[in-house]
């Protein structure tokens, strides 16, 4: 009886350590792939509050992001170091938010991203790897990574109020030359 229990415990431990090692390797591959990227250009689909929006984003690490929405207000989301700005070109309106309260600093900064991935929970999905991270003052983010290329394919954020934003990435281009002017914050008139 004791032998059977000992063998069962050893089998369970073997599978636990095998999965832990597999998950650690996947996480390392994700970090290595993402940290080899200095710039990204991609199309996106964002679904928030039952509203679907599309556009294009430009990301330059470690501090810059510009997402241009295809809508009548010509909305732009701009991250420039410590500033997060929503700009509506149509009305020349600019709204400032603290970037520290968003997950953008975690996405843009290589060291923060590495720590986030290595310390987060990994789930295997049929289509993607999912990295789930929860932060008390921001909410929850689940990153999606392609299973073959380990490329970032999107994320889902649940904010502190329980609102969900799904962000899907398409046509990803790595290490493109990007104009610095993309990340300038418009002057308020």
């Amino acid at each position: 009886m004791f032998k059977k229990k000992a063998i069962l415990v050893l089998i369970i431990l073997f599978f636990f350590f095998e999965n832990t090692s597999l998950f650690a390797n996947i996480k390392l591959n994700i970090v290595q792939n993402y940290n080899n990227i200095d710039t990204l250009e991609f199309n996106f689909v964002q679904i928030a509050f039952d509203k679907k929006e599309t556009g294009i984003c430009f990301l330059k690490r470690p501090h810059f992001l510009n997402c241009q929405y295809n809508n009548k207000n010509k909305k732009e989301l701009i991250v420039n170091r410590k500033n997060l700005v929503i700009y509506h070109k149509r009305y020349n309106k600019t709204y400032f938010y603290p970037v520290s309260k968003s997950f953008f600093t975690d996405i843009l900064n290589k060291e923060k991203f590495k720590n986030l991935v290595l310390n987060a929970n990994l789930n295997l999905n049929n289509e993607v790897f999912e990295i789930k991270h929860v932060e008390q003052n921001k909410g929850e983010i689940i990153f999606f990574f392609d299973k073959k290329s380990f490329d970032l394919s999107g994320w889902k954020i649940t904010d502190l109020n329980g609102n969900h934003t799904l962000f899907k990435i398409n046509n990803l281009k790595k290490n493109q030359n990007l104009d610095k002017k993309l990340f300038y914050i418009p002057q308020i008139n």
Side-chain angles (χ1 to χ4, degrees):
M1 182 75 167
F2 177 73
K3 281 185 176 181
K4 288 181 182 179
K5 287 183 179 179
I7 291 172
L8 180 62
V9 167
L10 287 174
I11 290 172
I12 291 170
L13 286 174
F14 173 77
F15 283 113
F16 173 77
F17 287 117
E18 280 294 310
N19 279 342
T20 302
S21 176
L22 172 67
F23 284 9
N25 286 337
I26 290 169
K27 288 179 177 183
L28 285 174
N29 285 332
I30 288 169
V31 168
Q32 287 173 344
N33 178 59
Y34 198 65
N35 282 345
N36 287 329
I37 297 168
D38 290 317
T39 66
L40 290 175
E41 179 181 333
F42 53 86
N43 295 331
F44 70 86
V45 175
Q46 176 181 297
I47 302 170
F49 302 104
D50 296 324
K51 182 178 178 184
K52 181 178 176 180
E53 297 180 283
T54 62
I56 187 167
C57 283
F58 305 92
L59 178 148
K60 181 172 173 52
R61 297 175 84 184
H63 305 292
F64 305 102
L65 176 70
N66 179 311
C67 293
Q68 301 169 359
Y69 289 75
N70 298 327
N71 62 20
K72 66 181 181 180
N73 296 335
K74 298 184 180 183
K75 179 169 79 172
E76 283 187 55
L77 181 146
I78 304 166
V79 174
N80 183 323
R81 298 197 186 274
K82 295 182 180 183
N83 298 305
L84 188 155
V85 172
I86 304 292
Y87 174 60
H88 294 272
K89 282 185 184 179
R90 181 176 179 188
Y91 303 112
N92 196 28
K93 296 277 186 184
T94 306
Y95 304 93
F96 288 86
Y97 302 94
V99 74
S100 62
K101 298 215 188 264
S102 75
F103 283 105
F104 290 121
T105 55
D106 301 308
I107 295 169
L108 294 169
N109 182 290
K110 290 181 181 185
E111 195 60 34
K112 285 183 179 184
F113 183 79
K114 174 184 173 184
N115 291 333
L116 184 148
V117 169
L118 294 178
N119 295 315
N121 295 325
L122 171 70
N123 293 313
L124 302 175
N125 182 316
N126 288 337
E127 300 169 15
V128 294
F129 295 122
E130 296 179 357
I131 298 283
K132 180 180 177 181
H133 174 72
V134 178
E135 210 163 303
Q136 192 172 15
N137 63 340
K138 294 180 186 175
E140 173 186 283
I141 188 166
I142 301 172
F143 291 101
F144 305 115
F145 295 91
D146 183 86
K147 278 189 167 180
K148 294 178 184 171
S149 67
F150 298 103
D151 285 338
L152 181 65
S153 60
W155 56 80
K156 179 181 178 184
I157 295 175
T158 304
D159 69 18
L160 296 174
N161 296 322
N163 300 313
H164 301 285
T165 300
L166 180 62
F167 196 89
K168 297 178 186 178
I169 294 175
N170 303 305
N171 302 321
L172 182 69
K173 297 175 190 170
K174 300 178 190 176
N175 295 323
Q176 303 290 308
N177 288 326
L178 299 178
D179 187 351
K180 290 181 182 178
K181 292 178 184 176
L182 280 169
F183 309 108
Y184 290 162
I185 295 175
Q187 298 296 317
I188 302 172
N189 292 338

